[in-house]
Amino acid sequence: MEHLLRGKFGRIIINKYSHYPLKYGSQRHSQRGICSVWSGRALDRARPLLKQHYYNERREYGMLIVKALRGVLKIRYLLIGGAVAGGGALQKKYTDWKNGLPDLKWLEDVLPDNEKWHEWRGNLIDFKDNIKNNVEIDPRLKALSESKYREFRTWFDGRLDDAIAAAEALEKSKPGAFTTVSRMSTIISDVKQEITDKTVVYARPFARSDSDNDQARKDAQERLNHIQDEMMQTQIKYQRELERLEKENKELRKQNLLLKQGKKPNTRKIKRSLIDMYSEVLDELADFDSGYNTQDQLPRVVVVGDQSSGKTSVLEMIAQARIFPRGAGEMMTRAPVKVTLSEGPYHIAQFRDSTREFDLTKESDLADLRREVELRMRNSVKGGKTVSSDVISMTVKGPGIQRMVLVDLPGIISTQTTDMASDTRENIKLMTQTYMNNPNAIILCIQDGSVDAERSNVTDLVASCDPSGKRTIFVLTKVDMAEENLADPNRIRKILSGKLFPMKALGYFAVVTGRGRKDDAIQTIKDYEENFFRGSKLFKDGIVKSTQVTTRNLSLAVADCFWKMVKESVDQQADAFKARRYNLESEWKNNFPRLREQDRDELFERARGEILDEIVNLSQVSPKHWEECLLHKIWEKVSTHVFENIYIPAVHTGSAETFNTAVDIKLRQWADSELPARAVDAGWETLQSEFEKFMRKAATAPDHDDIFDQLKEAVVAEAMQRHSWEGKASEMLRVIQLNALDDRTIGDKRDWDEAVKFLESSVKEKLKDSERALREILGPSTKERWLYWRYQNDVESKRQSVKNELDKILHSNEKHPPILSYDELTTIRNNLQRSDIEVDNEFIRQVWEAVHRRYFLSKALLKAHDCRREFYLYHQQADVDCSDVVLFHRIQQMMKVTSNALRQQITNREARRLDKEIKEVLEDYSQDSEKKIRLLTGRRVTLAEELKRVRQIQEKLEEFIQALNKEK
């Protein structure tokens, strides 16, 4: 591109190739030179001017270049503007998207900031104003510019369509909407780079014009305006695409969050079929009344029959798919299977508690479905059972399937094998009777036509439940085998006319459900069935009617009977639940008038919130309170060891030198072995006691609800059991404890007084314990005997006598060692014998331990009192017998640094770990319905649960009735 230079008087001079000096204006101006707008380089104005004709042509040519360049540059500005607009929209949603956004630093390299943008815009405006009337386009380039424009427009439209198609392809793959946006942004960036390259290429031909034409300038302006309009439409299209992807990304993130929380995403509500609504009502009733009693009297088609009579095959023919597992000579149906049949465009199956849809046209999905059914049946019969009453609920949809709900029950057995539970036959019979006793149940009685009728077990059972036969449909299976094996076809006529069996039925049907090949497809079996009946002697001889054969006619008859009974009974069932709801609501108002009805899930969430609130309260405990509690707990853990293993043995060594040596050895052994673990136990128990204190405080609040107490206690106990202190804490404590115990000096009077006070309080506490133990072995004191009429027994009286003798020994020798000599024991026994008291040496030693311990602690307490005033002598290194004060000072300092370290661990780590463990326990409990039932008990809970379920059932019944009436 030519250099565009602006002189002092506003004239434009285009010069790149000329080597002649310019002469313009005065000599003074020629010497100063003029500066280029873009490069700022000074030119020598001493060069001669070109001819005026040459400059006129160059001026019009430059005008065309600038206008064309302005339009082409607008392409870049519009794209950048679109990116800015899209970035602004995305910026508003950045907070919602921040977890899913990729790195957007690349925008900083693409989008200029405001300052640079305004500077760039100002330079372009100045550039346009300076060349507006001085540069024109050569008309000879008109045809060339139009062809280049068409080529550029075709190229850009293709690139943009490719970008949008790529974005849509990525969107269909569903890796995440923002991934699509990111990919599309990359594509648009590439497009913008190529636009820049194309702009340079397409601008080059315009740089070679040498003519001056006003019409060419107007045409160029119109074409550039047209380019602006086209690019504006492109920018709008790009902006809409970004908004669409942004909206889809937001929806995907919402669904992702719901899935992480274990909730189902909100799906668009679609119109459900009548049979699906009815099946939901039956599922609600099954959950509400697991015993299947008279509360649930809605119609079902109950499929019953002897084992291996063809029940499952009949159901599969009606469902038009091989959906059940098969086994030769083995009981396969071990639990009731509720199958909801409905018509749909695709042949699919789905379990009630699963989102997976099995494509019944694919053999692989059919195999997976059969395995899933078998697995669910085996899971339902754990614990040594052979059959279970747990219902497996599934839905089958497909073209031409009749709408109904069937329940396939385990087959009736006559003989119980050794691998079955002892009560299997009775359980099957009881389960079958329970389902058939529903006054609105349609009984589909399956009889094997290939065996003798006298071997049937199910017909008598059906006759006992429906003696009039008003809701029974009889089905004779394996008719092809019966026709081949029976010598007298009239026997089949008697069966299908209801004259052979004592039971009665609404209708009698004959079907063929296979050729004995378990791999046959349903359509193959249908064709075989139709061909058989078409050529069967049963038809030719007029034994059966055409309406009594084939599973198609059977399914039509069963569906008609089913819907007839549904319409007759559903209103009555809705009224029954409406009355039940009224009674439950009245009971609630009378017993819990000021409480809201909350089921176990709602109560559990309330308890969860209260427990987590108490965890938050742990962070509000002051450091001072933590350290006080920790000091108390640490001393409670170590006091016995300090007295029994360190202090008392060291005192009994006899001198201050040996005392200090023994103390140093025992303290180091203690710190290397037992002390860190005891300190960690103290920290853990302190954290536990503080949390339980908050729980007890919450339990005494005026608005406390005691229904959560059992659940809270179980959650806290479980979390405490799971929680363990960090393993590296013991090693860290060992180091600081050793450093604290190695310090044998007391620096100031305040530390001395604190050590003396600590020694006195500790000795007093132990002295009280020793006096209490001595009273327990001696019995009532003299005061108690005189005032409260209490008496010593013989053993206590002997101990008192021994104590009196021991007191004499201690009085005569204040520094007596902790062990009695043999001579002293003999003397005591001899003295007691004069009073007719016989004791052995062991008896005397037991009393001596208690007496000497009290005596020792009393002397230690007096010594501590004396050491209160000995600090200055100790400080001057005088001969002061206060080594026990120094010992307790060392122990006290160790406890302080330990409590400080434990407090930091609690506030920085352990409280948060406990919070995490309590949340994990709560999450586990939230998924465990059995624990909720066990821990949230009482009539208030069961009444709220029952009321909630009754309302749900009533609402679903009313919704179904409304849809049923509309269909009528």
Side-chain angles (χ1 to χ4, degrees), residues 795-808:
V795 176
E796 292 171 346
S797 178
K798 289 180 180 181
R799 288 172 181 164
Q800 182 66 46
S801 300
V802 173
K803 175 185 175 297
N804 294 335
E805 295 294 328
L806 294 173
D807 287 341
K808 294 175 183 178

Side-chain angles (χ1 to χ4, degrees), residues 30-294:
S30 299
Q31 293 175 355
R32 292 177 59 189
I34 57 178
C35 297
S36 171
V37 174
W38 301 107
S39 64
R41 291 177 295 176
L43 299 180
D44 186 4
R45 286 184 292 173
R47 296 177 181 179
L49 297 174
L50 298 177
K51 292 181 181 181
Q52 188 64 30
H53 179 70
Y54 172 80
Y55 284 108
N56 290 337
E57 291 179 348
R58 301 286 290 179
R59 194 163 50 246
E60 292 183 3
Y61 168 67
M63 185 64 184
L64 176 61
I65 293 174
V66 171
K67 290 187 178 182
L69 179 62
R70 181 184 64 180
V72 173
L73 288 176
K74 282 184 179 181
I75 298 173
R76 301 177 66 187
Y77 302 153
L78 289 172
L79 286 173
I80 294 174
V84 171
L90 292 174
Q91 184 71 19
K92 296 179 181 178
K93 302 292 187 302
Y94 179 76
T95 303
D96 297 332
W97 290 6
K98 61 182 179 181
N99 293 327
L101 283 174
D103 188 8
L104 296 180
K105 292 183 178 180
W106 61 274
L107 285 175
E108 297 177 0
D109 300 330
V110 178
L111 304 179
D113 56 22
N114 290 336
E115 182 177 356
K116 291 181 180 180
W117 177 267
H118 290 302
E119 181 181 358
W120 191 11
R121 181 174 177 272
N123 291 336
L124 290 175
I125 292 174
D126 294 339
F127 174 78
K128 182 193 72 172
D129 293 337
N130 285 317
I131 67 173
K132 183 175 182 181
N133 299 318
N134 298 310
V135 178
E136 296 179 358
I137 300 175
D138 187 353
R140 291 176 298 178
L141 294 177
K142 180 177 180 180
L144 178 62
S145 63
E146 289 177 350
S147 63
K148 288 294 183 181
Y149 165 69
R150 287 192 297 269
E151 180 183 352
F152 173 79
R153 179 177 178 182
T154 303
W155 165 82
F156 180 78
D157 289 341
R159 286 291 292 157
L160 185 60
D161 292 338
D162 292 341
I164 295 174
E168 291 176 350
L170 287 172
E171 177 191 0
K172 292 179 180 178
S173 64
K174 293 295 181 184
F178 194 81
T179 305
T180 307
V181 176
S182 178
R183 175 61 181 159
M184 188 170 182
S185 300
T186 305
I187 295 172
I188 295 298
S189 299
D190 296 339
V191 172
K192 289 192 291 184
Q193 182 62 41
E194 292 187 28
I195 288 175
T196 304
D197 299 337
K198 293 287 184 180
T199 301
V200 175
V201 173
Y202 293 154
R204 287 172 186 167
F206 294 97
R208 300 179 184 142
S209 174
D210 295 324
S211 64
D212 184 4
N213 192 304
D214 293 337
Q215 185 64 35
R217 184 169 62 241
K218 292 179 181 180
D219 294 340
Q221 183 64 39
E222 291 177 359
R223 286 193 294 273
L224 290 174
N225 291 338
H226 183 68
I227 291 175
Q228 289 180 355
D229 294 337
E230 290 289 332
M231 294 308 301
M232 182 61 68
Q233 296 298 323
T234 303
Q235 189 268 343
I236 292 173
K237 185 177 180 181
Y238 167 73
Q239 180 66 23
R240 288 176 179 172
E241 187 70 11
L242 283 179
E243 291 175 355
R244 182 180 66 81
L245 295 174
E246 173 189 338
K247 183 177 179 181
E248 292 185 2
N249 179 51
K250 186 175 181 180
E251 292 296 324
L252 288 173
R253 286 192 57 80
K254 285 182 179 179
Q255 294 182 8
N256 187 31
L257 290 174
L258 291 173
L259 290 174
K260 285 182 178 179
Q261 297 171 2
K263 302 177 180 178
K264 290 185 178 180
N266 292 328
T267 54
R268 191 175 297 173
K269 187 175 181 181
I270 60 175
K271 184 178 180 181
R272 294 171 299 165
S273 64
L274 272 177
I275 192 63
D276 290 335
M277 297 170 66
Y278 184 75
S279 180
E280 287 182 6
V281 173
L282 295 183
D283 289 334
E284 290 287 343
L285 288 170
D287 291 340
F288 174 70
D289 182 20
S290 58
Y292 191 79
N293 58 25
T294 55

Side-chain angles (χ1 to χ4, degrees), residues 528-570:
Y528 173 74
E529 182 184 41
E530 291 179 359
N531 293 333
F532 167 76
F533 282 117
R534 190 178 298 115
S536 172
K537 293 186 294 183
L538 299 175
F539 271 148
K540 294 178 179 178
D541 298 340
I543 294 176
V544 295
K545 301 177 182 178
S546 60
T547 55
Q548 287 184 280
V549 296
T550 72
T551 51
R552 173 176 175 77
N553 290 332
L554 171 65
S555 61
L556 290 173
V558 173
D560 290 341
C561 184
F562 170 77
W563 282 106
K564 179 181 178 182
M565 297 192 72
V566 166
K567 294 172 183 177
E568 292 175 351
S569 60
V570 68

Side-chain angles (χ1 to χ4, degrees), residues 301-449:
V301 180
V302 181
V303 185
V304 297
D306 295 335
Q307 184 178 351
S308 301
S309 61
K311 297 186 298 76
T312 302
S313 298
V314 171
L315 201 154
E316 287 181 338
M317 290 292 290
I318 297 175
Q320 300 181 15
R322 295 278 198 175
I323 59 178
F324 292 107
R326 297 178 178 277
E330 181 184 359
M331 177 185 292
M332 298 304 297
T333 305
R334 298 174 178 266
V337 182
K338 182 175 77 68
V339 183
T340 303
L341 301 176
S342 62
E343 189 171 10
Y346 306 107
H347 203 186
I348 57 174
Q350 183 178 0
F351 289 98
R352 174 195 173 194
D353 55 355
S354 174
T355 58
R356 178 182 177 182
E357 291 185 347
F358 297 88
D359 188 349
L360 302 184
T361 61
K362 296 181 179 179
E363 187 56 39
S364 59
D365 279 22
L366 277 170
D368 291 343
L369 178 62
R370 289 192 289 267
R371 281 194 297 268
E372 181 70 17
V373 172
E374 184 175 5
L375 179 62
R376 288 172 180 257
M377 285 187 179
R378 294 192 180 277
N379 288 337
S380 66
V381 294
K382 291 181 178 179
K385 297 187 297 182
T386 305
V387 293
S388 170
S389 60
D390 297 338
V391 180
I392 300 172
S393 182
M394 62 188 301
T395 301
V396 176
K397 298 180 180 180
I401 296 180
Q402 298 300 315
R403 301 179 302 169
M404 68 184 86
V405 176
L406 301 100
V407 180
D408 186 22
L409 298 175
I412 306 297
I413 61 175
S414 56
T415 302
Q416 192 168 279
T417 59
T418 57
D419 59 347
M420 295 181 180
S422 59
D423 57 351
T424 300
R425 183 169 57 180
E426 293 300 322
N427 286 340
I428 294 175
K429 183 178 179 181
L430 180 61
M431 184 193 308
T432 305
Q433 287 178 329
T434 302
Y435 274 88
M436 290 193 301
N437 283 333
N438 177 3
N440 295 314
I442 301 171
I443 303 172
L444 198 62
C445 179
I446 309 299
Q447 173 64 36
D448 187 351

